[in-house]
Amino acid sequence: MNPYTHIKKQDRQVYAALEGEEARQAEGLELIPSENYVSLAVREANFSILTNKYSEGYPGKRYYGGQKYTDIVENIARERAKKLFGAQYANVQTLGGANANIAMYFALLQPGDTVLGMDLSHGGHLTHGHPVTYLTKIFKFVRYKMKDADTGEIDYDEMRAVALREKPKIVLAGFSAYPRELDYAQFVSIARSVGAYAVMDIAHIAGLIAGHAVKNPFDYGFDIMTSTTHKTLRGPRGGLILTRESEELAKKIDRMVFPGLQGGPHMNNIAAKAVAFGEALKPSFKMYVKQILKNAKAMEGVFKAANIRLITGGTDNHLLLADVFGSMGITGKEAESVLDEVGITLNKNAIADDMRGPMDPSGIRFGTPAITTRGFKEKESARVAELMVETLHKRTDQKALKKIHVEVKSLCKRFPIPKSFA
Ligand code: DSN
């Protein structure tokens, strides 16, 4: 399928950029752990006719007419999301993960209330209370951290002490750069001890939860989970808010998403979410997410053998965080750039209490969701890790880098981006 025939005729400039991106994705290895490749079915839904429709409100209760089919689509998306995550309620209208978190805060908190979230450099996310966000002008954010960056153990005693002192209204679990499982029972117990909501931002591991490769926070009593739909869950770009059982909370969330913060939902995107959730409900998705974990372990083995320090000592999920500055004297920015030269895309990333700045930190973050979608198993994943290590060691040797790039391209050719998932 060439989806760009009309753009090609009408707009050469945009067409050229799209063609370029098609080639970049086809010929390079995508290791950014928050990216993935969606099926053509998801893309078809995303560019479908539903983009023409305004649907403020929710199924059965809209502000405009003509909602026969939008209601069908949104109900399918909600029902599938509920089934995937064991939730009683789902809001599928938020446009992204940040929007989902913002809606969740505004639904549950009053200005001035406190949130206890993970420190960004220890794996948290900007929307969990980083000072650069406007959220910190409205709410107070206090932090928890790892006790030891070499094991990844969270300091739950300190977390409990902070909770008792600061009386947060939300105890927030979740991360964008933490490779281990959290002790969910601790989070819920700490939240309950101060009368706070227990919320988990599952954006990174949503697919792993849906495919039962890791634990589901709802099984431990979390009240709400926020998410994106485009990472391990392998759907279109977008957000999702799940409520375990409280109708009152779910109503607050719905009211805050619309009309509180957003206008008309992007129904084309919601249709794409519905299709992706349908794919995630298939047995083959369970196999896919299991393989993501096996592939990450295979990469872990290579980095450990090369004596490159991994934050938390390794991984139990889809991502790894390597301290390349501490281990090899190469900055995260330099590593990202030289790996890009050989067709391997990942991102520079801060490590715990990084002494370096965010634009040139000490670490690199990478993961296996996208290469696993391409069909990579442990053998190919380990080979990619070997090529990464070699690239970093031989970063000034142009001849060696060219050779590595040839091998990367040939791997990509052997494992083209699939059009659909069985
Ligand atoms: N940008 C996402 C990530 O890469 O983890 C988080 O927002």
Side-chain angles (χ1 to χ4, degrees):
M1 172 174 119
N2 177 354
Y4 307 129
T5 45
H6 294 85
I7 305 177
K8 186 177 182 181
K9 276 192 214 138
Q10 186 177 316
D11 192 327
R12 299 297 298 195
Q13 281 173 297
V14 171
Y15 176 75
L18 293 178
E19 284 290 283
E21 180 63 10
E22 287 273 343
R24 191 193 69 81
Q25 291 195 17
E27 291 163 17
L29 289 175
E30 185 53 71
L31 295 185
I32 294 175
S34 49
E35 294 191 14
N36 213 330
Y37 307 111
V38 299
S39 67
L40 287 188
V42 168
R43 281 171 62 183
E44 279 175 5
N46 213 359
F47 81 15
S48 68
I49 196 107
L50 287 169
T51 196
N52 295 339
K53 189 71 195 112
Y54 254 127
S55 313
E56 283 101 329
Y58 291 97
K61 212 176 153 200
R62 307 273 191 193
Y63 286 81
Y64 293 6
Q67 307 292 348
K68 185 171 171 191
Y69 301 105
T70 51
D71 277 8
I72 292 174
V73 162
E74 187 164 350
N75 276 328
I76 295 172
R78 295 203 296 196
E79 289 310 311
R80 289 180 182 168
K82 282 155 54 177
K83 199 165 171 193
L84 277 173
F85 295 98
Q88 293 277 333
Y89 304 93
N91 184 303
V92 295
Q93 292 195 1
T94 56
L95 304 176
N99 313 54
N101 280 341
I102 292 165
M104 176 272 294
Y105 291 138
F106 278 77
L108 305 186
L109 303 176
Q110 294 299 315
D113 280 349
T114 299
V115 178
L116 175 56
M118 194 185 220
D119 188 86
L120 181 74
S121 84
H122 285 239
H125 186 253
L126 284 175
T127 58
H128 299 180
H130 193 277
V132 296
T133 63
Y134 197 77
L135 288 167
T136 57
K137 295 199 194 318
I138 303 167
F139 307 116
K140 180 178 176 191
F141 289 87
V142 290
R143 315 203 185 297
Y144 58 88
K145 293 185 169 193
M146 288 179 278
K147 195 189 274 183
D148 178 355
D150 286 315
T151 64
E153 194 192 339
I154 303 286
D155 194 339
Y156 291 105
D157 293 337
E158 169 70 6
M159 192 176 155
R160 190 176 289 276
V162 175
L164 288 171
R165 191 177 67 233
E166 301 283 350
K167 302 276 184 297
K169 291 270 165 43
I170 292 174
V171 172
L172 180 64
F175 45 78
S176 58
Y178 180 72
R180 299 293 187 184
E181 283 226 71
L182 297 169
D183 185 342
Y184 295 132
Q186 290 267 20
F187 279 86
V188 173
S189 142
I190 291 169
R192 298 285 178 259
S193 74
V194 293
Y197 297 111
V199 178
M200 166 85 180
D201 176 346
I202 60 168
H204 261 262
I205 59 168
L208 307 181
I209 294 170
H212 304 286
V214 299
K215 294 180 287 188
N216 184 337
F218 278 160
D219 292 340
Y220 296 80
F222 271 75
D223 302 296
I224 286 178
M225 303 203 292
T226 59
S227 188
T228 55
T229 47
H230 49 270
K231 297 185 174 95
T232 48
L233 194 50
R234 206 161 61 180
R237 308 199 73 73
L240 175 65
I241 307 178
L242 301 151
T243 305
R244 181 170 54 89
E245 64 170 20
S246 162
E247 187 181 1
E248 190 196 334
L249 278 188
K251 279 187 174 158
K252 281 187 183 173
I253 298 275
D254 279 352
R255 277 198 299 270
M256 189 49 68
V257 172
F258 176 84
L261 291 167
Q262 289 190 179
H266 294 186
M267 292 309 305
N268 53 315
N269 186 255
I270 290 172
K273 287 175 185 173
V275 173
F277 297 161
E279 290 173 356
L281 282 165
K282 289 184 184 168
S284 57
F285 191 78
K286 285 198 176 72
M287 306 295 291
Y288 163 62
V289 293
K290 264 201 192 109
Q291 192 63 47
I292 290 179
L293 299 195
K294 287 185 196 164
N295 288 352
K297 273 283 170 212
M299 295 187 92
E300 172 194 301
V302 173
F303 272 74
K304 276 186 166 166
N307 287 320
I308 298 175
R309 177 179 176 237
L310 292 172
I311 302 303
T312 81
T315 181
D316 293 323
N317 60 24
H318 63 300
L319 71 84
L320 301 104
L321 188 56
D323 176 8
V324 284
F325 189 71
S327 307
M328 313 174 81
I330 172 169
T331 72
K333 187 176 166 188
E334 286 164 349
E336 178 189 287
S337 164
V338 69
L339 286 160
D340 206 36
E341 265 182 60
V342 300
I344 295 176
T345 307
L346 46 62
N347 65 279
K348 56 185 172 292
N349 211 96
I351 60 169
D353 302 315
D354 206 327
M355 299 301 285
R356 303 185 58 82
M359 289 312 287
D360 194 6
S362 300
I364 51 172
R365 185 188 70 152
F366 54 99
T368 52
I371 57 171
T372 307
T373 292
R374 278 188 110 120
F376 282 31
K377 298 280 194 298
E378 291 93 315
K379 183 171 157 230
E380 293 80 25
S381 304
R383 183 63 192 143
V384 175
E386 284 168 7
L387 292 174
M388 290 169 72
V389 173
E390 195 182 340
T391 302
L392 295 177
H393 279 303
K394 298 187 177 163
R395 56 192 178 275
T396 55
D397 178 346
Q398 282 308 316
K399 213 169 138 195
L401 295 185
K402 273 204 181 103
K403 196 164 159 247
I404 294 168
H405 198 178
V406 169
E407 186 170 341
V408 165
K409 281 199 209 162
S410 115
L411 264 173
C412 291
K413 236 189 183 143
R414 269 178 56 214
F415 294 88
I417 299 169
K419 294 182 170 38
S420 63
F421 312 118

